[in-house]
Amino acid sequence: MNLDELKAKRSKKKLDPLPIAEKELCDRYQEVFTAAVNDVLREQGLLHQVLPSNIVPLKLEMKVCGVAFTVKGSKNLTIESEMEQRAQMLEEVGEGSIVVWDTSRDDESAQWGEVMTLASKQRGCKGAIVDGGVRDTNKVLELEFPVFCKYRTSNGMLGRFRMIDWQIPVMIGNVFIYPGDIIFGDIDGVIVIPRDIAFDVLVKAEAIKENEKEIKRMVLEGLTPTEVVKKGGYF
């Protein structure tokens, strides 16, 4: 059995430099919208880049784009050295990152809360995407830190859940996420843009945003939907 190809696909990818700085890239993504990015990815045959629809922002107006810092965990009753492990992970969170939690579909614990928000924010982290729960919700909201999650609960992780590793490839729903990928979330959910195509996708999404201004103009001027389509528009 030759597993070399599978091993290559499941290993961390080399973080090649982007054509522009990560900060500029992410700032520009935040000026577009996830639907435009989704349409670009679809044109490239990438139909499974959106995280499950039950992962939603704590507040509808939350919008964030950053570089994936991945965390993998699962239900686990063991406690020994858990807090030290958690601290080590937080110390590796970097500027401009978004912490992305693959919880193995946990349905009980909060993987994110106030103190973790404070610690991550101090290190320049821009947000958290949690395929699980959040607690201290009111305090997290006060910190104006974008968080997308499945549910809210008072349950902490300790004694219920623990991390397995971080900065490794993870999978949430049908989406593979590699450290360094671009994560973009808004009111319509969270989308993952592979790092190696992130700049080209951005440029095309920006073009879609501009093109839609013209389509809206035609609609407001009274053109029928058929006329709009004939002029290159869409709905």
Side-chain angles (χ1 to χ4, degrees):
M1 182 182 296
N2 189 338
L3 296 178
D4 290 344
E5 185 175 348
L6 180 59
K7 287 178 182 178
K9 288 183 178 179
R10 296 296 173 87
S11 63
K12 291 172 65 173
K13 295 181 179 179
K14 181 182 177 183
L15 297 186
D16 292 325
L18 296 162
I20 59 176
E22 286 181 351
K23 184 180 185 307
E24 180 185 347
L25 181 90
C26 293
D27 287 348
R28 285 170 60 179
Y29 263 107
Q30 290 195 193
E31 295 301 315
V32 295
F33 47 97
T34 54
V37 174
N38 196 320
D39 287 352
V40 175
L41 292 170
R42 179 180 58 192
E43 289 176 359
Q44 300 191 22
L46 297 174
L47 299 175
H48 302 289
Q49 297 303 123
V50 174
L51 299 191
S53 58
N54 59 350
I55 298 177
V56 297
L58 285 181
K59 290 175 65 176
L60 292 180
E61 60 267 31
M62 285 179 170
K63 191 173 187 180
V64 68
C65 182
V67 179
F69 180 98
T70 61
V71 181
K72 173 68 175 177
S74 66
K75 289 186 176 183
N76 193 314
L77 303 182
T78 62
I79 294 176
E80 185 177 357
S81 301
E82 193 273 349
M83 202 60 69
E84 291 82 357
Q85 181 193 44
R86 202 184 305 185
Q88 184 181 349
M89 180 275 289
L90 286 168
E91 288 177 5
E92 294 184 23
V93 172
E95 183 82 25
S97 63
I98 292 181
V99 180
V100 181
W101 283 80
D102 170 2
T103 70
S104 306
R105 301 183 180 180
D106 185 38
D107 57 2
E108 181 180 13
S109 304
Q111 288 79 25
W112 200 264
E114 179 190 12
V115 179
M116 196 168 283
T117 297
L118 282 168
S120 300
K121 198 171 180 180
Q122 284 289 104
R123 304 191 67 80
C125 180
K126 296 179 68 178
I129 311 296
V130 186
D131 186 30
V134 170
R135 69 177 190 167
D136 311 320
T137 305
N138 59 332
K139 300 298 184 182
V140 174
L141 289 171
E142 287 174 6
L143 291 166
E144 298 183 347
F145 185 83
V147 176
F148 292 65
C149 64
K150 288 195 301 188
Y151 55 84
R152 304 171 190 181
T153 177
S154 61
N155 280 338
M157 291 194 298
L158 194 65
R160 301 182 179 95
F161 179 101
R162 72 180 298 163
M163 292 182 296
I164 296 168
D165 205 349
W166 56 91
Q167 286 297 72
I168 61 171
V170 298
M171 186 177 185
I172 299 176
N174 294 318
V175 187
F176 281 99
I177 308 161
Y178 294 86
D181 281 347
I182 303 303
I183 308 296
F184 181 27
D186 65 13
I187 194 170
D188 287 332
V190 180
I191 194 162
V192 179
I193 306 102
R195 184 182 182 89
D196 58 350
I197 61 172
F199 179 72
D200 290 340
V201 170
L202 170 64
V203 172
K204 291 176 181 177
E206 290 173 331
I208 286 175
K209 180 182 176 181
E210 289 303 310
N211 188 45
E212 288 199 353
K213 292 180 182 179
E214 175 63 16
I215 296 172
K216 292 172 188 176
R217 184 192 63 77
M218 289 189 286
V219 172
L220 291 172
E221 288 182 353
L223 272 68
T224 67
T226 298
E227 290 171 331
V228 171
V229 171
K230 285 181 177 179
K231 289 180 175 291
Y234 50 82
F235 294 90

